[in-house]
């Protein structure tokens, strides 16, 4: 299966055209839109979110991941194979947490580029064909690199990120922290919230933190919006008390 993870959103031609290239090159491989609203132009936040989603993948799967504010620059394209799953996308830290948390990892730099590749849409013109070729065991120009040759700044990122990394359509705040004990308190913009098991365990309008479905610490308001209540956005600092 090929999973697509991007910050393209549902409007405009970007998600559809990239997906169509994958389907044209690998018509017999199922394709799934994992996320098209990953943190906007934010490879760091997206790295923690993508790593939390690995429970959905199995050995042999391919993840086409594009959060690429540096498209067209000197940054390289990568195929990262981690615990049997291949990740295709830019070398900008997007795969840092995948690499760091995997037991077995190899990295290849993508050397292939079509003559007519757009300088602003490598997702469609480079990463989508390569993802399809990886999924169908077809060759393309590449070369291996050592793990420490990947995007340097990302290697200094913390193992867990004490920030909001995603705001879902309900205003719930996913953090880059693993789920906390319900006895701990979480602070966002001076709002202190206690832990609860799930929404129905607190009264309407009450804020709480909980273990979300992918194992992260998430802050929500029962029948309300935590982002509005706390004035929180992606990048807001999360304190643990």
């Amino acid at each position: 299966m090929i999973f697509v993870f991007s910050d393209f959103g549902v409007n405009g031609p970007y998600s559809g055209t990239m997906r169509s290239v994958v389907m044209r090159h690998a018509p017999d491989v199922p394709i799934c839109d994992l996320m098209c609203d990953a943190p906007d132009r934010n490879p760091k936040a997206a790295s923690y979110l993508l790593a939390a989603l690995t429970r959905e993948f199995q050995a042999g799967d391919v993840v086409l991941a594009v959060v690429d504010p540096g498209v067209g620059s000197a940054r390289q394209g990568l195929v990262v194979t981690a615990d049997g799953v291949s990740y295709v996308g830019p070398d900008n830290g997007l795969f840092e947490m995948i690499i760091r948390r995997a037991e077995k990892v190899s990295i290849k730099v993508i050397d292939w580029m079509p003559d007519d590749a757009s300088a602003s849409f490598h997702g469609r013109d480079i990463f989508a064909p390569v993802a399809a070729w990886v999924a169908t065991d077809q060759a393309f120009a590449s070369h291996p690199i050592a793990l420490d040759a990947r995007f340097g700044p990302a290697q200094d990122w913390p193992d867990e990120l004490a920030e909001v990394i995603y705001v879902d359509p309900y205003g719930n705040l996913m953090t880059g922290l693993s789920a906390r004990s319900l006895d701990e308190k979480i602070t966002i913009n001076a709002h202190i919230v206690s832990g609860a098991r799930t929404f129905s365990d607190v009264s309407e309008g009450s804020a709480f933190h909980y273990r979300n479905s992918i194992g992260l610490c998430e802050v929500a308001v029962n029948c309300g919006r935590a982002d509005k209540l706390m004035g929180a956005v992606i990048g807001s600092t999360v304190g643990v008390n």
Side-chain angles (χ1 to χ4, degrees):
M1 182 175 289
I2 298 172
F3 293 88
V4 180
F5 176 94
S6 80
D7 62 350
F8 293 168
V10 296
N11 296 319
Y14 310 110
S15 292
T17 53
M18 186 172 72
R19 198 174 189 274
S20 71
V21 172
V22 175
M23 296 176 71
R24 190 175 301 279
H25 283 84
D28 297 325
V29 180
I31 184 169
C32 172
D33 291 316
L34 186 67
M35 288 189 72
C36 61
D37 63 339
D40 181 16
R41 292 167 288 188
N42 191 331
K44 184 176 183 180
S47 178
Y48 293 88
L49 183 55
L50 179 59
L53 292 167
T54 57
R55 59 178 288 160
E56 307 300 332
F57 311 144
Q58 299 179 3
D61 286 340
V62 176
V63 181
L64 169 58
V66 186
V67 178
D68 194 16
V71 62
S73 68
R75 70 97 186 91
Q76 302 178 115
L78 300 180
V79 178
V80 174
T81 302
D83 295 336
V85 178
S86 295
Y87 300 83
V88 180
D91 181 22
N92 59 6
L94 181 58
F95 303 132
E96 177 62 25
M97 293 303 128
I98 293 289
I99 293 169
R100 197 179 299 183
R101 297 174 187 179
E103 294 183 2
K104 184 177 181 181
V105 183
S106 63
I107 304 176
K108 292 191 294 187
V109 170
I110 300 168
D111 296 321
W112 174 83
M113 178 183 291
D115 293 336
D116 60 349
S118 167
S120 62
F121 202 175
H122 286 183
R124 178 194 65 192
D125 295 340
I126 300 174
F127 301 140
V130 168
W133 293 335
V134 171
T136 54
D137 295 320
Q138 297 185 57
F140 56 93
S142 66
H143 69 273
I145 61 170
L147 293 185
D148 60 4
R150 68 188 187 274
F151 183 66
Q155 297 181 44
D156 294 327
W157 294 348
D159 289 336
E160 295 196 354
L161 187 63
E163 296 178 7
V164 174
I165 62 170
Y166 180 71
V167 181
D168 77 10
Y170 303 100
N172 301 330
L173 309 172
M174 289 191 194
T175 76
L177 299 171
S178 58
R180 319 311 294 182
S181 166
L182 298 186
D183 296 329
E184 294 182 272
K185 295 185 184 299
I186 299 296
T187 303
I188 299 178
N189 291 343
H191 292 267
I192 302 174
V193 297
S194 300
R197 184 181 61 90
T198 190
F199 292 80
S200 60
D201 289 352
V202 302
S203 59
E204 288 192 12
S206 295
F208 65 104
H209 72 82
Y210 66 107
R211 180 187 183 90
N212 73 5
S213 62
I214 55 175
L216 296 177
C217 175
E218 185 163 330
V219 177
V221 172
N222 187 20
C223 295
R225 296 190 63 96
D227 60 338
K228 301 299 184 185
L229 176 67
M230 301 177 186
V233 296
I234 291 174
S236 292
T237 300
V238 179
V240 180
N241 304 312

